[in-house]
Amino acid sequence: MSRIAKRFSDLAAEGRGALIPYLEAYDPDRETSLALLRAMPAAGADLIEVGIPFSDPSADGPVIQAAALRGLKAGATLAGVLGMVSAFREGDAHTPVILMGYVNPVESYGYERFCKDAVAAGVDGVVLVDLPPEEADVIEAPAKAAGLDIIRLVAPTTTPERLGYVLSHASGFVYYVSIAGITGTRTASAGDLRAAIPRVRAATSLPVAVGFGVRTPEQAAQAASIADGAVVASVLIETLAGTLDAQGHATDATLPTVLEQIGALATAVRAAGRQAA
Amino acid sequence: MANLMEQQKAARLNSSLRHEPDGRGHFGGRYGGRFVAETLVPLILELETAYAQAKADPAFQRELDYYLKDYVGRPSPLWLARRMTEKLGGAKIYLKREELNHTGSHKLNNVMGQILLARRMGRTRIVAETGAGQHGVATATVCALFGLKCVVYMGATDVERQKPNVFRMRLLGAEVVPVTAGAGTLKDAMNEAMRDWVANVADTYMLIGTVAGPAPYPAMVRDFQSVIGTEVKAQMQEAEGRLPDVVVAAIGGGSNAMGIFHPFLDDQSVRLIGVEAAGHGLDSGKTAASIERGRPGVLHGNRTYLLQSADGQIEEAHSISAGLDYPGVGPEHAWLNDIGRAEYVGATDEEALEAFQFCTELEGIIPALESAHAVAHAMKLAPTLPTDSLMVINLSGRGDKDIFTVAEHLGVQL
Ligand SMILES: Cc1ncc(COP(=O)(O)O)c(C=O)c1O
């Protein structure tokens, strides 16, 4: 069983959903983001998403755009991001790590080489925002051979006819983009999620995580209880950015402040348990 | 029987270079495609269906023809540039006068087609990206004509260097949103327009201004711009009784070039030359020559030649001309380059400035700085060709918008 499948099945046995915090690699520098990555499981992260900085993040709002720019300025490369995950794996064999990013750095690195190196580094899955299933043949075979999950996005605009097609290309879990929009802007209501998640569930046996617009502990608890997990990104990056000094460097407050927020999110997610389907 | 006819039809289509991309929106099995977030995929598929229906509907074509004639002012003339020809002493040079179109460039050809499509689709809000502002002005214009809401994203750097067009767009009722991300040029404006579309899918139509973006845009914009080449073919037949020998056009995203090239793709005797902006020079690191100095990658919904780092980060383009200042190029050009059907060359900022003045002084036509890149290459090539050869330069736009930039480079205070 993969780390992703095992983690979701263990959490299901515990009767709760997953908290999936996001960090942008190399934001604001390699050392700080690696320290954050290493500390996240103890703070309550069940799975972790690591953003691969890209120059043109066209599906992201201003907060993640700025994080990507800071990461690139700090020297992030795809090889460097994989190196970070390797370093994390030295101390953590169980927490699933999912890379999230855009396709061009991966295409430039080479799909086959990427899949092999990612798995060797300890990466469990990858979300490539701008690589829909229509274009995914370039990565599907090497990913399968290497044992890397390709996590698929499903959006509110995904039509019922299309849903089955998208899900037939998914592995690991399904990432439900809860709003039609970019990251860090709007938030879906609990009612929206209660209407949408059962439709996705009906079409797949994979776990379903909700992302885009999940900000508060209450929202995270709600999303993780209606679905199988909640991805929290922009709000954590906002918090991180708020602790940087005038030159954009990390301060003593950076790690504790972000980790405390992850702790609060985790507490809420754990307390909420699971809604009966 | 029907099957055989289908096969014969397919064979005929295959032997032609003028074809539709494959089912995945790829040209040559490689370039183009639909590289967008899941949220947008259903929308571009809907657009593709709507465009296919419109294209097959004679009423749509009639409506478009009406607006092209009476609103855009087509056909545009094919002008024999006598003094330029004499001065250069080689090929006989004709200028395709796209700068005479309403709003001053070829951009309105495409915008007219897409706005009629947006109306058919019931969309009420239009978003567009713009570099030089010509596409933004064209879009704002048709939105005024049809009473639609219009939001134009424009890099902050471009807002600064294309002030007259910003003012024109605002007069036309458009909201112009300066984009400060990145270098504040066309690539950043495109990112922001895509973000807007993703967030406003219910009522919004994204009106892309060049032959790039996810399928169906590259082929659709090409179709709407092909009126240029179709007219040139007929006009040259009338003037000279034959095909031209060389067609030269500037390449930003590649829409004016694709529009004039496409009808000639199967006429192998016609040399097709796309002129990219070399900026400070092809090897200066400050260039916008994506085909000559880039390599294939994925940006803005399509796979094509891109200026990018070894790590796959997109690099900033550089050109004196805002409309060419883009690190990518339409995917059909990427394919035409690889199969060798079209040639791609560069012209520098300096060469474009010189050509700008050359065309102005000899023909009394002030070209856009974008178009001046095509003129610059013609100035190099024409003298090397026999006097009985025929060259067409696509004069894609007029240069009124550029007088501030040019004045600054000439050291003149306006
Ligand atoms: C007059 C003119 N020519 C050319 C271009 C470049 O675009 P394309 O390569 O799509 O024709 C522009 C773009 O703004 C333009 O305004």
Side-chain angles (χ1 to χ4, degrees), chain B residues 62-139:
Chain B
R62 269 198 304 278
E63 191 185 14
L64 179 56
D65 288 346
Y66 162 74
Y67 284 103
L68 286 179
K69 176 170 172 287
D70 289 347
Y71 193 71
V72 181
R74 301 208 69 89
S76 72
L78 184 68
W79 168 249
L80 172 58
R82 278 202 188 78
R83 295 192 67 210
M84 225 150 113
T85 301
E86 265 166 38
K87 186 91 182 175
L88 294 172
K92 193 168 176 185
I93 298 173
Y94 284 86
L95 304 177
K96 179 60 174 166
R97 307 278 314 268
E98 290 299 301
E99 100 282 5
L100 290 177
N101 292 334
H102 181 38
T103 76
S105 81
H106 70 294
K107 295 287 179 186
L108 194 57
N109 302 330
N110 163 49
V111 165
M112 205 69 242
Q114 285 197 60
I115 202 72
L116 297 181
L117 183 60
R119 275 161 52 87
R120 268 172 85 104
M121 294 176 74
R123 298 294 195 270
T124 53
R125 179 175 177 274
I126 307 297
V127 296
E129 82 296 341
T130 197
Q134 292 301 98
H135 174 59
V137 166
T139 304

Side-chain angles (χ1 to χ4, degrees), chain B residues 60-305:
Chain B
F60 179 78
Q61 199 54 54
R62 269 198 304 278
E63 191 185 14
L64 179 56
D65 288 346
Y66 162 74
Y67 284 103
L68 286 179
K69 176 170 172 287
D70 289 347
Y71 193 71
V72 181
R74 301 208 69 89
S76 72
L78 184 68
W79 168 249
L80 172 58
R82 278 202 188 78
R83 295 192 67 210
M84 225 150 113
T85 301
E86 265 166 38
K87 186 91 182 175
L88 294 172
K92 193 168 176 185
I93 298 173
Y94 284 86
L95 304 177
K96 179 60 174 166
R97 307 278 314 268
E98 290 299 301
E99 100 282 5
L100 290 177
N101 292 334
H102 181 38
T103 76
S105 81
H106 70 294
K107 295 287 179 186
L108 194 57
N109 302 330
N110 163 49
V111 165
M112 205 69 242
Q114 285 197 60
I115 202 72
L116 297 181
L117 183 60
R119 275 161 52 87
R120 268 172 85 104
M121 294 176 74
R123 298 294 195 270
T124 53
R125 179 175 177 274
I126 307 297
V127 296
E129 82 296 341
T130 197
Q134 292 301 98
H135 174 59
V137 166
T139 304
T141 297
V142 295
C143 287
L145 177 65
F146 292 116
L148 300 170
K149 186 167 165 45
C150 181
V151 181
V152 179
Y153 291 93
M154 187 167 186
T157 305
D158 291 340
V159 167
E160 211 30 60
R161 61 178 161 173
Q162 300 287 337
K163 281 188 190 133
N165 273 345
V166 174
F167 186 58
R168 285 163 84 194
M169 286 186 271
R170 290 188 170 139
L171 283 175
L172 288 159
E175 180 189 347
V176 181
V177 184
V179 180
T180 53
T185 60
L186 183 52
K187 146 177 116 74
D188 311 295
M190 184 78 165
N191 288 331
E192 210 54 34
M194 288 175 75
R195 292 184 186 114
D196 180 308
W197 192 23
V198 154
N200 296 286
V201 293
D203 61 347
T204 297
Y205 181 96
M206 176 152 171
L207 209 160
I208 294 181
T210 191
V211 286
Y217 287 99
M220 175 170 72
V221 175
R222 171 202 74 195
D223 290 349
F224 289 138
Q225 290 293 3
S226 290
V227 63
I228 305 174
T230 304
E231 284 176 10
V232 167
K233 217 170 188 176
Q235 289 165 327
M236 194 56 104
Q237 187 61 39
E238 194 173 327
E240 301 279 353
R242 68 181 186 92
L243 291 168
D245 299 297
V246 189
V247 174
V248 187
I251 306 260
S255 69
N256 85 85
M258 193 52 66
I260 198 167
F261 288 179
H262 194 256
F264 292 106
L265 287 184
D266 289 332
D267 301 304
Q268 294 289 343
S269 68
V270 183
R271 267 179 85 183
L272 305 172
I273 304 177
V275 187
E276 297 191 294
H280 292 190
L282 282 177
D283 296 312
S284 66
K286 288 196 150 234
T287 174
S290 337
I291 292 183
E292 291 157 282
R293 287 297 175 269
R295 61 188 172 90
V298 175
L299 180 72
H300 295 153
N302 59 165
R303 183 180 287 119
T304 187
Y305 282 90

